[in-house]
Amino acid sequence: MRPMFVYLLLISVPTLLSADFIITESEDHEVGYGSRSPNYQPLKTLLKKRSTNGLRNKNREKIQVYSLKINSKITSRFAHNVITSRVVNRATKSKEALFEVELPKTAFITNFTMTIDRVKYSGEVKEKEVAQQQYEVAVSQGQTAGLVKVSGRKMEKFQVSVNIAPAKKVNFELIYEELLKRKLGKYEMILRVKPKQLVNHFQIDAHIFEPKGIAFLNVHGTFLTNDLEQAMVKNRTETKAHISFKPTLEQQQKCPDCSETLLDGDLIIQYDVNRDLSGGDIQIVNGYFVHHFAPANLPRVPKNVIFVIDRSFSMRGLKFRQTKLALLRILGDMSTQDYFTIISFDSTIEKWRDSLVQATAENVLQAKRYIIYLQLGAETNINDSLLLAVSLLDTAHKQKLPERSVSMIILLTDGDPNVGEKDPVKIQINVKNAIQERYSLYCLGFGFDVDYSFLEKMALDNGGVARRIYDDSDSALQLQGFYNEVANPLLLDVEMQYQENAISELTEATFRQYYDGSEIVVAGKIADNSLDTFMVEITAKTASSNLSLEEKVNVSDAERILQYQQYIFGDFTERLWAYLTIQQLLNQRISADAGENKKLTARALELSLKYSFVTPLTSMVVTKPEENKMDVIALADKPIKNAKRQKQKNRKYSTVSPGFHLRQRGTLLSGASPTLNFASSADHSVTSVDGDPHFIIQLPKQLNAICFNINGKPGSILNLVTDLQTGININGQLIGDKKIENNQTLNTYFGTFGIENRKINMKMAVTTEIITIYCNEENTIIPWSTTATLTYESCAVSIRKEKDLTITMGDGATFVIVLHRVWKNHPLHRDFLGFYTIDSHRLSNMTHGLLGQFYHDVPYKVYNIHPGSDPEKPEATMVVKGHNLIVTRGWQKDYRLDSKWGANITCWFVHNNGKGFIDGTYTDYVVSSLFD
């Protein structure tokens, strides 16, 4: 996943569909994986104990997996993964078995074999064109053939189906390799566990060996019950770790008398290695070395950022709302050391400021206001927008920017250039000539229909990367996640210098920047066989000094460390070098001219064939010898990124389905304030309730807000939003101060919210202590002391530690709950919550509730403004819903932009608990329970 990319591995455990098998006691004996466990019982016996005759008959009609193993060996961040599945057909006729595996797009398949009736059919890596011809011939002849295809955002799916004759067995084995990339301070491996049936011998083994030492190791699973936890064994020493997961049949069962499995979710392994301010970690095996460099304890380098935001009409809807939400959060996370500005463009170009400004609290607040009220335009002028950004950076560097700082341009667009310069090639040339290797350009392409190849080349030409942002409910999190990867530069102009004439075939060894939480990896070949001491000198610039580090390693000692390690797999340093070299050659091709591109392609193809890697240049053909001819059974073919893809209707990009994926984000959502994506008042109503409790209503096409208070009783539960059509219901429960002083009225606040979406069977109970999520009969409890993100099939939930919670449902309906902490052991007040509606366009016209009734326009008129009893608070008459109400001009606290102090918002205050402005009286909205 490119620079600072957390390693992501999703394995959809081989799923056998459209086929029928049964396993008998004899098959159980033939699994052949070492000794039996103490709890071993023949499967036939277990079925007799737990099943009816109907269940046994049903099992006889199925293809059944009797053994499924995932074995992963990770040595110095390089992962070698083997997936083995064994099935049997006990039916009286041939059946089809589908072997299906999901693997990361950055992984390379290295081997695939099938053993049918004790005959092994192995794969052979060939040049893509040659393999494709064989594949097409096989398809034309009606033979079974398979491909690796894109699967979701980061994955590729390999699948192949074969016919199994009666009473025959087939073994599948897939091997792939990948370099784990460090992102936000950790490596992460996620195994998608989804066998879809009980498996007699199910086993996951993950071995980790890190000579530098393992700093921490976390393992958890979304599907783990108390019983399944007992099947998990974690062993860790200073440099090694072994995670083993071997659930019995009883532990896999959802219930004692059923055949449904609990194994349905993600097993997540996270770790990092020990770090300090040194020259890094070097491993040497058989003449090849790998060098990892990720220093710690360094001061942060200031950065200068220009956000170039597409506001053309094609960005309408979810894209624009999510872009605003991400920018508001990003602005809230900026350091006061940083400088920034914003350029927005359609057919015209608009500067927020004429120059870059320091990220002070006031400037950040003003920028947030600009983003909130940013409007959509028409066409797309990318060329002039980027050239303006370069010009602003040029001027700023001459005037005020720190000498030691990182300057970057972040472009976010979803369309093609169609105003000004329209030729993508000319735009790339113009931008490259303007930047002249001084600044980094990051291009974020929104959606599948964006011209991604255009953005990718432009980014790589200018020291950055391109990233595709999927227009989904969590696209704001994708944008902010990318920004966090480049938010904290620690080093500039990093250069790794190895012994001259002693090292050859070196991968990239110079880097413009090093960012906190990432890692630099260099590999190469030791050309001097007599070399005793391997040495590297690293030079770089920190925020305030020039840095020089030197690292020396005795070659014999380094080889001895790895020589007898059972966790490594052969000459892993050589394979890692080949993997990294191929990846870099493929990237270099993107920005090379025709002649250079041909040379780079030839070299990448040569290495792919030599090391049997399935890359965009090669495919793996599995053939079956039959009567002196070769019939293609399967083709493993790595997809090539399309320049532009047509939109698909009703597409979904859920990280997991069904269920959810909880992933700790570190600093992903940290920041100063709940940066909320409010739509313009010209388009949507903006509603909130906060304080004791103050309701603030900003209706569409109205300049002035309307506010009212509710003087309810502690313990009362009020309905805020109800929409029977979408199934969304939101209630809030009041709490009161600890005591009343000086006979004053008891203040009440919202202490708990209940959010329900009946269409997706999800509920959330939010208190000032914890967030509890009920989904698909599973409970997830998250304390406010955690920053986390949960992504469901049609809902995204993100928690910022001790700050706020954002819930986005589908392509709209976004809500934010703000946490207010009072002084510890305050004698009077309690912690409380505020509720904000950020986007309600997805909700229907049937929506009602204390807030919901105002999601659609409510006509009103204010006239006869005159002095009131308080000279600073004029009064007026409001005509609304057939009532003439006396209203008072005042202000309430709005915590949209500042969760700690809030901002004063002027509004017309409706007295008597909003009577006349709301439908009925507030007591009509009292309900009996949190989810009523």
Side-chain angles (χ1 to χ4, degrees):
M1 271 194 218
R2 318 36 123 183
M4 303 182 61
F5 164 52
V6 173
Y7 174 72
L8 182 63
L9 169 63
L10 294 170
I11 297 179
S12 178
V13 176
T15 313
L16 304 182
L17 307 173
S18 306
D20 301 320
F21 297 78
I22 185 172
I23 181 169
T24 66
E25 184 173 351
S26 62
E27 271 70 53
D28 183 67
H29 285 221
E30 294 176 28
V31 169
Y33 285 102
S35 60
R36 299 172 183 167
S37 69
N39 298 324
Y40 165 80
Q41 296 182 60
L43 177 60
K44 192 172 182 179
T45 304
L46 292 172
L47 290 174
K48 187 178 295 184
K49 287 182 179 180
R50 294 193 298 263
S51 306
T52 63
N53 289 333
L55 179 60
R56 287 198 298 270
N57 291 333
K58 186 177 180 181
N59 284 339
R60 290 192 182 99
E61 299 172 356
K62 290 183 177 180
I63 274 186
Q64 191 168 359
V65 188
Y66 64 86
S67 174
L68 182 57
K69 295 188 67 177
I70 304 172
N71 189 287
S72 179
K73 291 184 178 181
I74 304 168
T75 305
S76 297
R77 295 71 136 177
F78 194 57
H80 177 86
N81 304 286
V82 181
I83 303 172
T84 307
S85 177
R86 300 184 176 189
V87 301
V88 62
N89 180 11
R90 290 299 185 187
T92 57
K93 59 182 180 179
S94 295
K95 294 292 182 179
E96 184 183 43
L98 175 67
F99 178 78
E100 183 177 275
V101 177
E102 287 188 81
L103 59 153
K105 292 178 180 177
T106 51
F108 291 158
I109 293 175
T110 65
N111 195 23
F112 173 69
T113 60
M114 290 185 294
T115 304
I116 304 173
D117 198 19
R118 299 187 180 181
V119 179
K120 180 180 287 188
Y121 307 106
S122 299
E124 180 183 359
V125 174
K126 298 183 178 182
E127 187 174 357
K128 182 180 289 290
E129 287 75 13
V130 175
Q132 189 69 27
Q133 290 174 7
Q134 286 186 260
Y135 171 76
E136 290 171 356
V137 170
V139 172
S140 67
Q141 294 176 352
Q143 298 171 17
T144 302
L147 281 171
V148 178
K149 299 179 180 179
V150 173
S151 174
R153 299 177 180 177
K154 304 168 184 176
M155 310 305 295
E156 292 167 354
K157 181 183 292 184
F158 170 76
Q159 64 181 31
V160 61
S161 60
V162 294
N163 283 321
I164 306 178
K168 298 298 182 180
K169 301 173 185 147
V170 58
N171 295 346
F172 301 100
E173 182 180 88
L174 181 75
I175 302 175
Y176 64 95
E177 296 174 347
E178 184 182 25
L179 176 64
L180 281 67
K181 289 192 175 181
R182 188 170 182 250
K183 179 180 176 184
L184 299 175
K186 64 185 176 185
Y187 310 96
E188 182 173 88
M189 181 164 68
I190 302 178
L191 303 178
R192 181 167 289 175
V193 180
K194 206 175 183 72
K196 295 187 177 180
Q197 61 174 278
L198 299 175
V199 180
N200 189 51
H201 190 97
F202 182 94
Q203 183 171 347
I204 297 176
D205 280 294
H207 304 266
I208 304 171
F209 174 55
E210 294 290 350
K212 192 75 173 180
I214 299 173
F216 68 84
L217 174 69
N218 296 324
V219 184
H220 60 280
T222 60
F223 58 89
L224 292 180
T225 62
N226 289 335
D227 284 343
L228 286 174
E229 286 277 9
Q230 304 304 314
M232 180 76 66
V233 178
K234 294 171 284 188
N235 295 311
R236 174 187 161 193
T237 64
E238 183 179 352
T239 59
K240 297 179 183 179
H242 176 210
I243 299 97
S244 175
F245 180 60
K246 294 191 290 185
T248 64
L249 282 170
E250 293 95 332
Q251 290 171 323
Q252 296 175 43
Q253 282 185 298
K254 275 191 175 181
C255 57
D257 296 321
C258 64
S259 60
E260 295 181 17
T261 178
L262 287 168
L263 304 184
D264 187 357
D266 295 332
L267 185 68
I268 303 166
I269 302 172
Q270 299 169 331
Y271 79 95
D272 197 14
V273 302
N274 296 326
R275 303 184 186 281
D276 51 25
L277 187 55
S278 69
D281 185 20
I282 299 169
Q283 277 86 54
I284 301 172
V285 176
N286 290 342
Y288 285 84
F289 77 91
V290 58
H291 178 200
H292 299 271
F293 177 64
N297 305 317
L298 287 168
R300 182 181 170 279
V301 176
K303 65 180 181 295
N304 318 303
V305 188
I306 297 184
F307 300 98
V308 182
I309 308 304
D310 186 346
R311 54 178 168 84
S312 62
F313 185 71
S314 60
M315 286 285 290
R316 68 191 181 278
L318 180 65
K319 295 178 184 178
F320 203 48
R321 294 191 295 274
Q322 293 283 293
T323 298
K324 285 186 173 185
L325 179 57
L327 285 171
L328 290 169
R329 285 176 168 164
I330 287 168
L331 289 170
D333 290 341
M334 294 195 74
S335 167
T336 54
Q337 293 178 289
D338 298 335
Y339 283 78
F340 77 102
T341 193
I342 303 166
I343 294 174
S344 63
F345 69 93
D346 54 355
S347 56
T348 61
I349 303 169
E350 181 177 286
K351 295 181 291 185
W352 168 65
R353 290 288 186 269
D354 289 331
S355 63
L356 279 77
V357 298
Q358 193 169 358
T360 62
E362 178 60 26
N363 285 335
V364 168
L365 185 62
Q366 293 298 325
K368 288 179 180 180
R369 288 173 179 161
Y370 172 79
I371 293 299
I372 287 174
Y373 292 104
L374 196 61
Q375 298 293 312
L376 289 172
E379 305 297 336
T380 307
N381 189 340
I382 293 177
N383 182 78
D384 294 345
S385 303
L386 290 177
L387 295 183
L388 175 60
V390 177
S391 176
L392 289 178
L393 279 174
D394 288 344
T395 302
H397 272 282
K398 294 175 183 177
Q399 295 176 350
K400 57 187 175 183
L401 295 184
E403 180 181 354
R404 290 175 181 264
S405 60
V406 174
S407 293
M408 63 182 73
I409 300 168
I410 298 179
L411 168 69
L412 192 146
T413 181
D414 78 328
D416 299 328
N418 50 25
V419 172
E421 180 56 68
K422 302 176 184 179
D423 185 347
V425 174
K426 290 183 179 178
I427 295 174
Q428 291 165 345
I429 294 172
N430 292 342
V431 174
K432 184 175 182 179
N433 290 339
I435 290 179
Q436 295 180 357
E437 299 185 355
R438 294 170 299 159
Y439 319 130
S440 296
L441 172 62
Y442 298 96
C443 297
L444 307 181
F446 228 128
F448 274 114
D449 59 333
V450 70
D451 190 346
Y452 186 76
S453 61
F454 158 61
L455 298 179
E456 185 176 39
K457 175 172 170 50
M458 192 161 56
L460 291 173
D461 279 346
N462 296 285
V465 295
R467 186 73 55 83
R468 192 186 294 276
I469 303 298
Y470 297 85
D471 46 350
D472 201 357
S473 59
D474 70 337
S475 49
L477 300 179
Q478 299 174 53
L479 290 167
Q480 191 183 5
F482 166 79
Y483 174 79
N484 284 345
E485 295 176 31
V486 297
N488 296 299
L490 298 182
L491 293 175
L492 307 175
D493 301 330
V494 183
E495 184 175 357
M496 327 285 278
Q497 300 173 345
Y498 301 90
Q499 290 131 299
E500 191 174 358
N501 300 323
I503 304 300
S504 64
E505 305 286 350
L506 195 65
T507 61
E508 292 179 10
T510 59
F511 307 87
R512 284 192 187 181
Q513 297 98 21
Y514 163 72
Y515 295 98
D516 190 22
S518 68
E519 184 172 62
I520 290 173
V521 183
V522 181
K525 181 178 182 180
I526 300 176
D528 183 359
N529 294 329
S530 62
L531 188 68
D532 294 325
T533 302
F534 182 94
M535 185 175 68
V536 58
E537 182 180 354
I538 304 166
T539 58
K541 297 177 182 177
T542 70
S544 57
S545 65
N546 294 326
L547 177 68
S548 178
L549 299 171
E550 187 179 274
E551 190 76 14
K552 294 182 179 180
V553 175
N554 183 279
V555 174
S556 298
D557 291 345
E559 290 185 323
R560 195 176 300 115
I561 292 173
L562 298 172
Q563 189 172 3
Y564 301 106
Q565 293 298 332
Q566 60 177 337
Y567 283 16
I568 71 170
F569 44 96
D571 298 339
F572 86 93
T573 52
E574 182 176 355
R575 296 193 63 80
L576 190 157
W577 163 81
Y579 172 95
L580 191 58
T581 300
I582 293 169
Q583 291 279 27
Q584 292 178 358
L585 289 170
L586 294 174
N587 279 336
Q588 291 166 16
R589 289 195 318 157
I590 296 171
S591 57
D593 58 33
E596 185 64 19
N597 185 295
K598 186 176 182 180
K599 294 178 182 177
L600 295 170
T601 300
R603 178 59 173 157
L605 175 60
E606 177 189 358
L607 292 175
S608 299
L609 295 173
K610 178 179 180 180
Y611 291 95
S612 295
F613 282 140
V614 177
T615 72
L617 304 176
T618 57
S619 298
M620 178 176 288
V621 181
V622 181
T623 57
K624 178 180 178 181
E626 192 171 291
E627 297 180 359
N628 299 320
K629 67 177 182 179
M630 302 294 283
D631 291 339
V632 174
I633 294 177
L635 177 77
D637 181 24
K638 192 172 187 64
I640 299 176
K641 285 184 264 187
N642 291 329
K644 193 170 183 178
R645 296 182 58 179
Q646 185 177 1
K647 284 187 176 179
Q648 302 171 4
K649 294 182 179 179
N650 302 322
R651 62 179 181 265
K652 298 179 181 179
Y653 305 112
S654 173
T655 50
V656 278
S657 176
F660 63 89
H661 171 206
L662 169 63
R663 180 165 58 197
Q664 299 291 334
R665 292 286 182 145
T667 60
L668 175 63
L669 296 175
S670 63
S673 63
T675 52
L676 313 179
N677 180 20
F678 277 79
S680 167
S681 60
D683 302 318
H684 305 285
S685 61
V686 178
T687 65
S688 66
V689 55
D690 216 328
D692 56 346
H694 307 305
F695 289 76
I696 304 177
I697 312 297
Q698 177 70 67
L699 290 169
K701 302 177 182 178
Q702 299 287 348
L703 295 177
N704 297 315
I706 302 173
C707 50
F708 60 92
N709 291 354
I710 294 295
N711 298 318
K713 297 179 180 180
S716 295
I717 302 174
L718 301 176
N719 174 246
L720 302 179
V721 181
T722 294
D723 183 4
L724 298 177
Q725 184 168 318
T726 62
I728 293 175
N729 187 74
I730 301 169
N731 297 329
Q733 186 170 29
L734 296 173
I735 57 173
D737 280 338
K738 296 177 181 178
K739 60 181 180 179
I740 303 174
E741 290 188 337
N742 302 324
N743 296 320
Q744 294 179 353
T745 303
L746 177 67
N747 291 325
T748 56
Y749 313 86
F750 279 108
T752 303
F753 288 110
I755 299 104
E756 181 179 16
N757 189 329
R758 295 172 184 172
K759 290 294 180 67
I760 61 174
N761 193 27
M762 188 189 79
K763 296 180 180 179
M764 294 179 60
V766 183
T767 71
T768 57
E769 298 300 324
I770 61 173
I771 300 102
T772 305
I773 302 175
Y774 309 89
C775 184
N776 296 327
E777 301 181 355
E778 292 186 357
N779 299 349
T780 302
I781 300 175
I782 307 171
W784 277 103
S785 58
T786 297
T787 293
T789 298
L790 297 87
T791 302
Y792 296 81
E793 183 173 355
S794 57
C795 179
V797 179
S798 64
I799 302 107
R800 295 199 307 163
K801 179 179 178 180
E802 297 293 329
K803 283 182 170 52
D804 56 62
L805 161 69
T806 302
I807 309 112
T808 303
M809 297 183 178
D811 60 352
T814 301
F815 310 102
V816 173
I817 296 175
V818 177
L819 174 65
H820 296 278
R821 293 286 192 212
V822 300
W823 305 335
K824 190 175 182 180
N825 301 321
H826 195 289
L828 180 63
H829 301 307
R830 303 178 190 274
D831 296 340
F832 64 96
L833 303 171
F835 179 86
Y836 294 80
T837 302
I838 307 310
D839 185 6
S840 59
H841 84 279
R842 180 173 175 262
L843 302 183
S844 73
N845 292 327
M846 299 172 58
T847 307
H848 209 266
L850 276 172
L851 288 176
Q853 63 187 288
F854 301 111
Y855 287 172
H856 309 285
D857 196 15
V858 178
Y860 73 92
K861 181 179 179 181
V862 176
Y863 69 99
N864 189 26
I865 301 175
H866 58 275
S869 56
D870 186 339
E872 296 183 0
K873 297 181 178 180
E875 294 184 349
T877 300
M878 175 187 289
V879 179
V880 60
K881 297 182 179 180
H883 303 288
N884 291 330
L885 307 177
I886 303 300
V887 294
T888 303
R889 190 63 177 266
W891 56 267
Q892 298 284 17
K893 284 287 189 181
D894 183 344
Y895 294 92
R896 287 180 293 175
L897 302 179
D898 187 343
S899 62
K900 185 175 182 181
W901 304 109
N904 292 335
I905 300 296
T906 56
C907 62
W908 289 109
F909 183 79
V910 180
H911 302 272
N912 300 320
N913 296 299
K915 186 175 181 181
F917 181 58
I918 64 174
D919 293 339
T921 65
Y922 90 89
T923 56
D924 297 333
Y925 299 86
V926 175
V927 294
S928 60
S929 68
L930 201 60
F931 297 107
D932 187 4

